[in-house]
Amino acid sequence: MRVERSVPASEPRIKRALVKFRDVLRKKSLRMTPVREAIVRGALEHTDHFDAQKLARRLQANGVHEASMATVYRTMPLLVEAGILQQTLLSSGEGVLYEIAFEREHHDHLVCTVCGKVIEFHFEAFERLQKDLAAKYDFELTRHVHELLGRCSSCRRAARARA
Amino acid sequence: MRVERSVPASEPRIKRALVKFRDVLRKKSLRMTPVREAIVRGALEHTDHFDAQKLARRLQANGVHEASMATVYRTMPLLVEAGILQQTLLSSGEGVLYEIAFEREHHDHLVCTVCGKVIEFHFEAFERLQKDLAAKYDFELTRHVHELLGRCSSCRRAARARA
DNA sequence: TTCAGTGCAAAGGATTTGCAACACC
DNA sequence: GGTGTTGCAAATCCTTTGCACTGAA
């Protein structure tokens, strides 16, 4: 099992992401633009999960005028399609959240419902079982959502202390 | 492994659900009302997943004037708290969906992203692994979200035929 | 009798969309 | 140059809230 942590993207990594994005755009006869590049860069600055609003705010904070909300919203699906971002933490009830997918290995989440702490994990046994299950139903698996929710160690301790 | 199918609630089952709901309400010093009963009944009529809007429409269709949208929205969380309903299919991107939880065993979902077909499954091995994982992080697990997405057998066949 | 429940309409908030000006390829 | 792209504002859609009135306990 592996636990991994996100790091801010380095310039070379950003370049690779831009190349990949450009490819996807080309395949769909769409165009690379300064605004889209700014959005890719802004997205890759995040190390945790974020939503379209947060990304837009960050872009505003950077250049004061990098991209409008509408454009950010319009771009998110493209970033997902290009494998730069992926949706995450669907159970959070906080609307649509994203995280970096580019050059990161697949992982799932363990979430503390008290303090909000998120632990990323990758557990090969789950992956295998999922394949088995899909095979049993003759499904071709494309992705999955797996979130475990509970109380983390310290929140449990705190609860006990209070009692 | 077990695959189960939802059936419309029988009258005795509805009665039991109402009793349980009443209990939860009492514990919170809330009151049982005709409108709330209608909502419980309406909810239990569903055999698949549905949202607040759909439930409200069904109530309208039944009695023309059973409950307003506002009341339905206000009641949903209570139904979840009482274990009558639970949220489901978070990955659908269709907003908040519910399904019956009352007197149903736990299950997860395998979803075809082409035709929308949903298969419910319960795979004990997953449950065990989840417990192991939680133990490893000293988490007290309260629930989980596990959705497998892909293309079902017939949609794959259709795709091959087209090619 | 009291405190919660309800409907209605208004408020919110997050996205989406129409459109005219702009700018990649 | 012909399309795709943007920003802005307006439009949507889903959900929540304020309030005066009704009703359960």
Side-chain angles (χ1 to χ4, degrees):
Chain A
M1 196 173 52
R2 177 173 49 70
V3 182
E4 196 187 310
R5 184 173 290 287
S6 228
V7 291
S10 62
E11 188 58 27
R13 183 138 151 267
I14 294 172
K15 295 289 193 212
R16 291 194 295 277
L18 288 171
V19 167
K20 188 170 176 192
F21 193 38
R22 207 168 251 115
D23 278 357
V24 171
L25 289 176
R26 187 161 29 228
K27 264 183 232 136
K28 301 170 66 87
S29 309
L30 300 181
R31 296 166 186 173
M32 178 52 104
T33 66
V35 174
R36 284 186 174 150
E37 171 162 346
I39 293 175
V40 170
R41 288 177 173 277
L44 291 173
E45 284 175 20
H46 295 264
T47 57
D48 54 352
H49 41 70
F50 58 94
D51 59 14
Q53 307 274 343
K54 191 171 169 190
L55 171 50
R57 263 181 270 123
R58 174 174 287 235
L59 290 171
Q60 302 295 325
N62 287 351
V64 180
H65 177 73
E66 298 239 53
S68 66
M69 280 308 308
T71 300
V72 171
Y73 275 111
R74 282 188 276 236
T75 307
M76 294 314 238
L78 294 173
L79 294 178
V80 170
E81 190 169 351
I84 312 278
L85 297 183
Q86 64 194 6
Q87 284 193 221
T88 190
L89 299 183
L90 303 188
S91 60
S92 73
E94 311 251 321
V96 184
L97 295 180
Y98 298 87
E99 65 182 354
I100 307 298
F102 186 67
E103 293 183 354
R104 288 213 56 197
E105 286 188 66
H106 168 71
H107 61 270
D108 294 300
H109 300 93
L110 186 54
V111 181
C112 176
T113 51
V114 179
C115 69
K117 177 161 65 182
V118 176
I119 293 178
E120 303 182 348
F121 67 87
H122 176 90
F123 204 168
E124 212 25 61
F126 279 127
E127 311 295 323
R128 268 196 304 276
L129 277 176
Q130 287 174 166
K131 286 198 184 91
D132 291 350
L133 185 72
K136 203 161 306 203
Y137 286 102
D138 201 20
F139 260 64
E140 176 190 332
L141 229 47
T142 49
R143 67 190 188 94
H144 69 259
V145 174
H146 200 181
E147 300 173 13
L148 308 189
L149 311 172
R151 284 196 307 173
C152 73
S153 182
S154 45
C155 286
R156 290 168 67 188
R157 218 178 353 263
R160 273 196 298 275
R162 227 176 298 118
Chain B
M1 195 172 57
R2 179 172 48 68
V3 181
E4 196 186 310
R5 182 173 291 286
S6 225
V7 291
S10 62
E11 188 57 30
R13 182 139 151 265
I14 294 172
K15 295 288 193 213
R16 293 194 295 277
L18 288 170
V19 167
K20 187 170 177 194
F21 192 39
R22 209 169 249 115
D23 278 356
V24 171
L25 290 174
R26 187 160 31 229
K27 268 185 223 129
K28 302 171 67 87
S29 308
L30 300 181
R31 298 165 186 172
M32 180 51 106
T33 67
V35 175
R36 284 186 174 151
E37 171 162 344
I39 292 175
V40 171
R41 288 177 174 277
L44 291 173
E45 284 177 19
H46 294 263
T47 57
D48 54 351
H49 41 70
F50 57 94
D51 60 14
Q53 307 273 343
K54 190 170 169 190
L55 171 50
R57 260 180 274 124
R58 175 174 287 237
L59 290 172
Q60 301 295 326
N62 287 352
V64 180
H65 176 75
E66 298 240 52
S68 66
M69 280 308 308
T71 299
V72 171
Y73 275 111
R74 282 187 279 237
T75 307
M76 293 314 240
L78 294 173
L79 294 179
V80 170
E81 190 169 351
I84 311 278
L85 296 183
Q86 63 193 4
Q87 283 192 223
T88 189
L89 299 185
L90 302 187
S91 61
S92 73
E94 310 251 322
V96 184
L97 295 180
Y98 298 87
E99 65 181 354
I100 307 298
F102 186 67
E103 294 182 354
R104 288 214 54 197
E105 288 189 65
H106 167 70
H107 61 269
D108 294 300
H109 300 94
L110 185 54
V111 181
C112 176
T113 51
V114 179
C115 68
K117 177 162 62 184
V118 177
I119 294 178
E120 304 182 347
F121 68 87
H122 176 90
F123 204 168
E124 211 27 59
F126 278 128
E127 312 294 322
R128 270 198 301 277
L129 277 176
Q130 288 175 165
K131 287 199 182 89
D132 291 350
L133 184 73
K136 203 162 306 202
Y137 287 102
D138 201 21
F139 260 63
E140 176 191 331
L141 229 47
T142 49
R143 66 191 188 94
H144 69 258
V145 174
H146 199 182
E147 300 173 12
L148 308 190
L149 311 173
R151 284 196 305 173
C152 74
S153 181
S154 45
C155 286
R156 289 167 70 189
R157 216 179 352 262
R160 272 196 300 275
R162 228 176 297 117

